[in-house]
Short mmCIF file of all heavy atoms in Angstrom, two decimals:
data_model
loop_
_atom_site.label_atom_id
_atom_site.label_comp_id
_atom_site.label_asym_id
_atom_site.label_seq_id
_atom_site.Cartn_x
_atom_site.Cartn_y
_atom_site.Cartn_z
N TRP A 1 80.68 57.44 223.48
CA TRP A 1 80.44 56.07 223.10
C TRP A 1 79.45 55.37 224.02
O TRP A 1 78.73 54.51 223.56
CB TRP A 1 81.82 55.27 223.09
CG TRP A 1 82.39 55.06 224.44
CD1 TRP A 1 83.20 55.93 225.16
CD2 TRP A 1 82.27 53.91 225.28
NE1 TRP A 1 83.55 55.42 226.34
CE2 TRP A 1 82.98 54.14 226.51
CE3 TRP A 1 81.59 52.70 225.16
CZ2 TRP A 1 83.12 53.21 227.50
CZ3 TRP A 1 81.71 51.76 226.18
CH2 TRP A 1 82.44 52.00 227.31
N THR A 2 79.34 55.82 225.25
CA THR A 2 78.37 55.26 226.19
C THR A 2 76.90 55.70 225.85
O THR A 2 75.97 55.11 226.34
CB THR A 2 78.66 55.69 227.62
OG1 THR A 2 78.73 57.12 227.66
CG2 THR A 2 80.01 55.14 228.03
N GLY A 3 76.80 56.75 225.01
CA GLY A 3 75.51 57.20 224.67
C GLY A 3 74.82 58.13 225.65
O GLY A 3 73.68 58.58 225.43
N ASN A 4 75.49 58.46 226.75
CA ASN A 4 74.85 59.22 227.82
C ASN A 4 75.33 60.69 227.91
O ASN A 4 74.93 61.39 228.82
CB ASN A 4 75.05 58.56 229.14
CG ASN A 4 76.48 58.45 229.54
OD1 ASN A 4 77.44 58.82 228.81
ND2 ASN A 4 76.75 57.94 230.73
N THR A 5 76.15 61.08 226.95
CA THR A 5 76.64 62.48 226.99
C THR A 5 76.75 62.98 225.55
O THR A 5 77.19 62.28 224.65
CB THR A 5 78.05 62.51 227.57
OG1 THR A 5 78.01 61.97 228.91
CG2 THR A 5 78.57 63.94 227.64
N THR A 6 76.26 64.22 225.38
CA THR A 6 76.42 64.88 224.10
C THR A 6 76.92 66.27 224.30
O THR A 6 76.78 66.86 225.40
CB THR A 6 75.06 64.98 223.36
OG1 THR A 6 74.10 65.66 224.21
CG2 THR A 6 74.52 63.66 223.00
N ILE A 7 77.59 66.81 223.30
CA ILE A 7 78.08 68.19 223.34
C ILE A 7 77.63 68.88 222.06
O ILE A 7 77.45 68.23 221.01
CB ILE A 7 79.59 68.32 223.52
CG1 ILE A 7 80.31 67.65 222.28
CG2 ILE A 7 80.08 67.72 224.81
CD1 ILE A 7 81.77 68.05 222.20
N TYR A 8 77.46 70.21 222.13
CA TYR A 8 77.06 70.99 220.97
C TYR A 8 77.88 72.28 220.96
O TYR A 8 78.19 72.83 222.04
CB TYR A 8 75.60 71.32 221.01
CG TYR A 8 74.68 70.15 220.88
CD1 TYR A 8 74.19 69.53 222.02
CD2 TYR A 8 74.31 69.65 219.65
CE1 TYR A 8 73.35 68.40 221.93
CE2 TYR A 8 73.47 68.55 219.52
CZ TYR A 8 73.03 67.92 220.67
OH TYR A 8 72.20 66.82 220.56
N SER A 9 78.15 72.78 219.78
CA SER A 9 78.72 74.15 219.69
C SER A 9 77.65 75.15 220.09
O SER A 9 76.47 74.88 219.94
CB SER A 9 79.26 74.42 218.28
OG SER A 9 78.19 74.50 217.39
N ASP A 10 78.08 76.25 220.57
CA ASP A 10 77.13 77.31 220.99
C ASP A 10 76.22 77.73 219.86
O ASP A 10 75.06 78.07 220.06
CB ASP A 10 77.89 78.49 221.61
CG ASP A 10 78.43 78.19 222.98
OD1 ASP A 10 78.04 77.21 223.58
OD2 ASP A 10 79.36 78.96 223.36
N SER A 11 76.76 77.70 218.65
CA SER A 11 76.01 78.27 217.51
C SER A 11 74.87 77.36 217.12
O SER A 11 73.97 77.82 216.36
CB SER A 11 76.96 78.47 216.31
OG SER A 11 77.56 77.21 215.93
N VAL A 12 74.89 76.08 217.50
CA VAL A 12 73.82 75.17 217.07
C VAL A 12 72.95 74.65 218.24
O VAL A 12 71.95 73.98 218.04
CB VAL A 12 74.39 73.96 216.28
CG1 VAL A 12 75.26 74.42 215.10
CG2 VAL A 12 75.10 73.00 217.21
N LYS A 13 73.38 74.96 219.43
CA LYS A 13 72.69 74.46 220.65
C LYS A 13 71.22 74.90 220.59
O LYS A 13 70.91 76.04 220.34
CB LYS A 13 73.36 75.00 221.86
CG LYS A 13 73.14 74.17 223.15
CD LYS A 13 74.05 74.68 224.26
CE LYS A 13 75.48 74.39 224.02
NZ LYS A 13 76.35 74.82 225.10
N GLY A 14 70.36 73.96 220.83
CA GLY A 14 68.92 74.22 220.82
C GLY A 14 68.28 74.09 219.41
O GLY A 14 67.08 74.08 219.30
N ARG A 15 69.11 73.99 218.36
CA ARG A 15 68.61 73.80 217.00
C ARG A 15 68.92 72.44 216.45
O ARG A 15 68.15 71.90 215.66
CB ARG A 15 69.13 74.90 216.09
CG ARG A 15 68.78 76.30 216.54
CD ARG A 15 69.18 77.31 215.47
NE ARG A 15 70.62 77.38 215.24
CZ ARG A 15 71.22 77.16 214.07
NH1 ARG A 15 70.47 76.93 212.97
NH2 ARG A 15 72.53 77.22 213.94
N PHE A 16 70.13 71.96 216.74
CA PHE A 16 70.58 70.68 216.22
C PHE A 16 70.55 69.59 217.29
O PHE A 16 70.76 69.90 218.48
CB PHE A 16 72.02 70.80 215.74
CG PHE A 16 72.23 71.66 214.48
CD1 PHE A 16 71.23 72.50 214.00
CD2 PHE A 16 73.41 71.61 213.83
CE1 PHE A 16 71.43 73.24 212.88
CE2 PHE A 16 73.63 72.38 212.69
CZ PHE A 16 72.64 73.23 212.23
N THR A 17 70.32 68.36 216.86
CA THR A 17 70.35 67.22 217.77
C THR A 17 71.09 66.08 217.16
O THR A 17 70.80 65.65 216.04
CB THR A 17 68.91 66.76 218.09
OG1 THR A 17 68.13 67.85 218.63
CG2 THR A 17 68.94 65.59 219.10
N ILE A 18 72.10 65.59 217.89
CA ILE A 18 72.84 64.42 217.44
C ILE A 18 72.28 63.18 218.14
O ILE A 18 71.87 63.26 219.29
CB ILE A 18 74.34 64.55 217.76
CG1 ILE A 18 75.14 63.41 217.14
CG2 ILE A 18 74.64 64.64 219.28
CD1 ILE A 18 76.66 63.59 217.19
N SER A 19 72.22 62.09 217.37
CA SER A 19 71.72 60.83 217.95
C SER A 19 72.43 59.67 217.28
O SER A 19 73.02 59.84 216.22
CB SER A 19 70.18 60.69 217.77
OG SER A 19 69.83 60.70 216.41
N ARG A 20 72.35 58.56 217.95
CA ARG A 20 73.00 57.36 217.37
C ARG A 20 72.12 56.14 217.53
O ARG A 20 71.38 56.01 218.50
CB ARG A 20 74.30 57.11 218.06
CG ARG A 20 74.23 56.87 219.59
CD ARG A 20 75.58 56.98 220.24
NE ARG A 20 76.56 56.01 219.79
CZ ARG A 20 77.89 56.18 219.84
NH1 ARG A 20 78.41 57.28 220.30
NH2 ARG A 20 78.68 55.22 219.37
N ASP A 21 72.13 55.29 216.50
CA ASP A 21 71.39 54.03 216.55
C ASP A 21 72.44 52.95 216.35
O ASP A 21 72.86 52.64 215.25
CB ASP A 21 70.37 53.99 215.39
CG ASP A 21 69.49 52.79 215.48
OD1 ASP A 21 69.95 51.78 216.01
OD2 ASP A 21 68.34 52.85 214.96
N ASN A 22 72.89 52.41 217.48
CA ASN A 22 73.95 51.38 217.45
C ASN A 22 73.53 50.16 216.64
O ASN A 22 74.34 49.52 215.99
CB ASN A 22 74.42 51.03 218.84
CG ASN A 22 75.13 52.17 219.56
OD1 ASN A 22 75.67 53.05 218.88
ND2 ASN A 22 75.15 52.14 220.86
N ALA A 23 72.23 49.81 216.72
CA ALA A 23 71.76 48.64 216.03
C ALA A 23 71.90 48.81 214.49
O ALA A 23 72.18 47.84 213.79
CB ALA A 23 70.32 48.33 216.40
N LYS A 24 71.70 50.04 214.05
CA LYS A 24 71.85 50.33 212.60
C LYS A 24 73.24 50.81 212.26
O LYS A 24 73.50 51.13 211.08
CB LYS A 24 70.80 51.37 212.21
CG LYS A 24 69.38 50.91 212.31
CD LYS A 24 68.42 51.94 211.81
CE LYS A 24 66.96 51.42 211.87
NZ LYS A 24 65.98 52.41 211.37
N ASN A 25 74.07 50.95 213.27
CA ASN A 25 75.44 51.43 213.04
C ASN A 25 75.45 52.79 212.33
O ASN A 25 76.22 53.04 211.41
CB ASN A 25 76.29 50.42 212.27
CG ASN A 25 77.67 50.27 212.85
OD1 ASN A 25 77.83 50.38 214.08
ND2 ASN A 25 78.65 49.95 212.02
N THR A 26 74.51 53.68 212.77
CA THR A 26 74.34 54.95 212.08
C THR A 26 74.21 56.07 213.12
O THR A 26 73.68 55.88 214.18
CB THR A 26 73.06 54.89 211.24
OG1 THR A 26 73.16 53.87 210.28
CG2 THR A 26 72.78 56.19 210.50
N VAL A 27 74.72 57.23 212.74
CA VAL A 27 74.66 58.43 213.57
C VAL A 27 73.85 59.47 212.74
O VAL A 27 73.99 59.54 211.50
CB VAL A 27 76.03 58.99 213.87
CG1 VAL A 27 75.95 60.28 214.68
CG2 VAL A 27 76.84 57.95 214.62
N TYR A 28 73.08 60.27 213.40
CA TYR A 28 72.25 61.28 212.78
C TYR A 28 72.55 62.64 213.33
O TYR A 28 73.00 62.85 214.46
CB TYR A 28 70.79 60.93 213.00
CG TYR A 28 70.36 59.59 212.58
CD1 TYR A 28 70.28 58.52 213.48
CD2 TYR A 28 70.07 59.32 211.22
CE1 TYR A 28 69.90 57.24 213.07
CE2 TYR A 28 69.66 58.06 210.81
CZ TYR A 28 69.63 57.03 211.73
OH TYR A 28 69.27 55.76 211.32
N LEU A 29 72.25 63.64 212.48
CA LEU A 29 72.28 65.02 212.96
C LEU A 29 71.01 65.73 212.41
O LEU A 29 70.91 65.94 211.20
CB LEU A 29 73.52 65.80 212.43
CG LEU A 29 73.65 67.19 212.99
CD1 LEU A 29 73.95 67.19 214.45
CD2 LEU A 29 74.75 67.99 212.21
N GLN A 30 70.06 65.92 213.32
CA GLN A 30 68.83 66.62 212.99
C GLN A 30 69.09 68.11 213.07
O GLN A 30 69.50 68.59 214.16
CB GLN A 30 67.69 66.22 213.92
CG GLN A 30 66.42 66.90 213.66
CD GLN A 30 65.75 66.61 212.33
OE1 GLN A 30 65.74 65.45 211.88
NE2 GLN A 30 65.28 67.63 211.62
N MET A 31 68.89 68.83 212.01
CA MET A 31 69.18 70.28 211.98
C MET A 31 67.89 71.05 211.74
O MET A 31 67.25 70.86 210.66
CB MET A 31 70.21 70.59 210.90
CG MET A 31 71.49 69.74 211.01
SD MET A 31 72.76 70.20 209.85
CE MET A 31 71.95 69.75 208.29
N ASN A 32 67.42 71.81 212.72
CA ASN A 32 66.23 72.60 212.61
C ASN A 32 66.57 74.09 212.61
O ASN A 32 67.65 74.46 213.06
CB ASN A 32 65.32 72.27 213.77
CG ASN A 32 64.86 70.83 213.79
OD1 ASN A 32 64.70 70.20 212.75
ND2 ASN A 32 64.62 70.30 214.94
N ARG A 33 65.62 74.89 212.16
CA ARG A 33 65.77 76.35 212.09
C ARG A 33 67.12 76.73 211.45
O ARG A 33 67.88 77.52 211.99
CB ARG A 33 65.62 76.92 213.49
CG ARG A 33 64.28 76.57 214.16
CD ARG A 33 63.92 77.51 215.33
NE ARG A 33 64.94 77.63 216.30
CZ ARG A 33 65.17 76.82 217.31
NH1 ARG A 33 64.42 75.77 217.44
NH2 ARG A 33 66.10 77.11 218.18
N LEU A 34 67.37 76.15 210.30
CA LEU A 34 68.63 76.35 209.66
C LEU A 34 68.76 77.80 209.22
O LEU A 34 67.79 78.50 208.80
CB LEU A 34 68.79 75.42 208.46
CG LEU A 34 69.19 74.00 208.83
CD1 LEU A 34 68.84 73.07 207.71
CD2 LEU A 34 70.70 73.97 209.11
N GLN A 35 70.00 78.34 209.29
CA GLN A 35 70.31 79.69 208.91
C GLN A 35 71.40 79.71 207.84
O GLN A 35 72.18 78.72 207.77
CB GLN A 35 70.74 80.49 210.14
CG GLN A 35 69.69 80.55 211.22
CD GLN A 35 68.42 81.22 210.75
OE1 GLN A 35 68.43 82.25 210.01
NE2 GLN A 35 67.30 80.67 211.10
N PRO A 36 71.52 80.78 207.04
CA PRO A 36 72.54 80.83 206.00
C PRO A 36 73.95 80.56 206.57
O PRO A 36 74.79 79.94 205.92
CB PRO A 36 72.44 82.25 205.47
CG PRO A 36 70.97 82.54 205.65
CD PRO A 36 70.61 81.94 206.96
N GLU A 37 74.21 80.96 207.80
CA GLU A 37 75.55 80.73 208.43
C GLU A 37 75.81 79.26 208.73
O GLU A 37 76.92 78.89 209.12
CB GLU A 37 75.71 81.55 209.69
CG GLU A 37 74.62 81.42 210.69
CD GLU A 37 73.57 82.56 210.50
OE1 GLU A 37 73.26 82.95 209.35
OE2 GLU A 37 72.98 82.97 211.55
N ASP A 38 74.78 78.38 208.57
CA ASP A 38 75.00 76.95 208.73
C ASP A 38 75.51 76.32 207.44
O ASP A 38 75.82 75.11 207.46
CB ASP A 38 73.70 76.29 209.15
CG ASP A 38 73.19 76.72 210.51
OD1 ASP A 38 74.03 76.81 211.43
OD2 ASP A 38 71.98 76.97 210.65
N THR A 39 75.57 77.06 206.38
CA THR A 39 76.10 76.57 205.14
C THR A 39 77.51 76.10 205.27
O THR A 39 78.44 76.85 205.71
CB THR A 39 76.01 77.62 204.01
OG1 THR A 39 74.66 77.97 203.75
CG2 THR A 39 76.64 77.15 202.74
N ALA A 40 77.78 74.85 204.94
CA ALA A 40 79.10 74.24 205.12
C ALA A 40 79.11 72.82 204.56
O ALA A 40 78.03 72.28 204.23
CB ALA A 40 79.47 74.24 206.58
N VAL A 41 80.26 72.26 204.52
CA VAL A 41 80.45 70.81 204.29
C VAL A 41 80.42 70.18 205.68
O VAL A 41 81.18 70.61 206.55
CB VAL A 41 81.69 70.45 203.52
CG1 VAL A 41 81.82 68.92 203.39
CG2 VAL A 41 81.71 71.11 202.17
N TYR A 42 79.56 69.20 205.86
CA TYR A 42 79.41 68.55 207.17
C TYR A 42 80.11 67.16 207.10
O TYR A 42 79.82 66.39 206.18
CB TYR A 42 77.98 68.40 207.52
CG TYR A 42 77.37 69.68 207.99
CD1 TYR A 42 77.08 70.71 207.11
CD2 TYR A 42 77.06 69.88 209.35
CE1 TYR A 42 76.58 71.94 207.55
CE2 TYR A 42 76.47 71.09 209.78
CZ TYR A 42 76.27 72.13 208.88
OH TYR A 42 75.76 73.31 209.29
N TYR A 43 80.93 66.90 208.09
CA TYR A 43 81.74 65.68 208.13
C TYR A 43 81.34 64.83 209.36
O TYR A 43 81.28 65.36 210.46
CB TYR A 43 83.23 66.01 208.24
CG TYR A 43 83.81 66.71 207.04
CD1 TYR A 43 83.86 68.08 207.02
CD2 TYR A 43 84.29 66.02 205.96
CE1 TYR A 43 84.37 68.75 205.95
CE2 TYR A 43 84.83 66.67 204.85
CZ TYR A 43 84.86 68.07 204.85
OH TYR A 43 85.38 68.75 203.78
#
């Protein structure tokens, strides 16, 4: 909530980036170098 700490699963580390824009009340997940094993429903 402070915005100064993030965690990632080992399987996405280095490929995915989580960010938040508190002014827009929105959270993002940038997913790069996607692989078939990333196929899923994302919540």
Side-chain angles (χ1 to χ4, degrees):
W1 69 276
T2 56
N4 62 357
T5 302
T6 56
I7 63 166
Y8 296 93
S9 68
D10 287 343
S11 61
V12 307
K13 202 171 293 183
R15 300 189 297 125
F16 291 12
T17 303
I18 187 171
S19 61
R20 61 195 299 155
D21 187 333
N22 289 339
K24 294 183 178 179
N25 225 31
T26 301
V27 178
Y28 303 97
L29 185 68
Q30 178 66 45
M31 306 185 295
N32 298 329
R33 305 199 308 274
L34 282 159
Q35 298 301 317
E37 51 266 35
D38 295 316
T39 295
V41 177
Y42 284 72
Y43 297 91

